[in-house]
């Protein structure tokens, strides 16, 4: 697989990531990188991101997930590869 082939990542971020502009911060970054997929809050206080893009863009997104928005406090970022789902854009789900 080359770095330009499309990949899919499932990312779960735990810590203080809700009500701190985290989803908006990540969505702006994802759209700027040409990544498709979505980000959503989970009932347990974590955030889930399904992201598709090239290897380099996804790695940059994962790095951003680790720092988050200014008020976020990241405890853990879990990343798993998955199958391509062919998203059209990147959205913030509620």
């Amino acid at each position: 697989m080359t770095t330009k082939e499309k990949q899919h990542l499932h990312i779960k971020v735990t810590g203080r990531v809700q009500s701190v502009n985290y989803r908006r911060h990540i969505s702006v970054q994802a759209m700027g990188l040409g990544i498709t997929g979505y980000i959503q809050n989970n009932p347990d206080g974590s955030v889930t991101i399904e992201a598709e893009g090239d290897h380099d863009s996804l790695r940059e997104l994962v790095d951003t997930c680790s720092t988050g928005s200014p008020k976020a406090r990241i405890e853990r970022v879990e990343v798993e590869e998955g199958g391509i789902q062919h998203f059209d854009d990147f959205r913030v789900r509620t």
Side-chain angles (χ1 to χ4, degrees):
M1 181 179 296
T2 68
T3 60
K4 292 299 176 189
E5 288 183 48
K6 196 173 216 182
Q7 295 178 293
H8 178 99
L9 294 181
H10 169 81
I11 306 165
K12 183 176 181 181
V13 184
T14 56
R16 185 170 183 234
V17 291
Q18 291 190 15
S19 300
V20 292
N21 256 353
Y22 187 82
R23 289 182 302 158
R24 183 180 180 331
H25 182 81
I26 297 301
S27 68
V28 168
Q29 178 75 10
M31 289 185 276
L33 292 167
I35 291 172
T36 58
Y38 64 87
I39 185 169
Q40 70 182 21
N41 286 339
N42 297 318
D44 67 0
S46 67
V47 169
T48 294
I49 304 158
E50 298 293 339
E52 294 181 353
D54 66 66
H55 176 82
D56 294 340
S57 295
L58 290 171
R59 287 294 127 212
E60 191 169 334
L61 182 69
V62 170
D63 288 346
T64 300
C65 290
S66 299
T67 56
S69 61
K71 294 182 179 180
R73 298 294 173 259
I74 311 306
E75 292 176 6
R76 185 175 194 169
V77 177
E78 301 171 31
V79 180
E80 296 178 10
E81 291 186 29
I84 298 293
Q85 297 180 33
H86 304 286
F87 298 110
D88 293 324
D89 56 11
F90 195 90
R91 297 179 184 229
V92 176
R93 290 188 178 176
T94 55

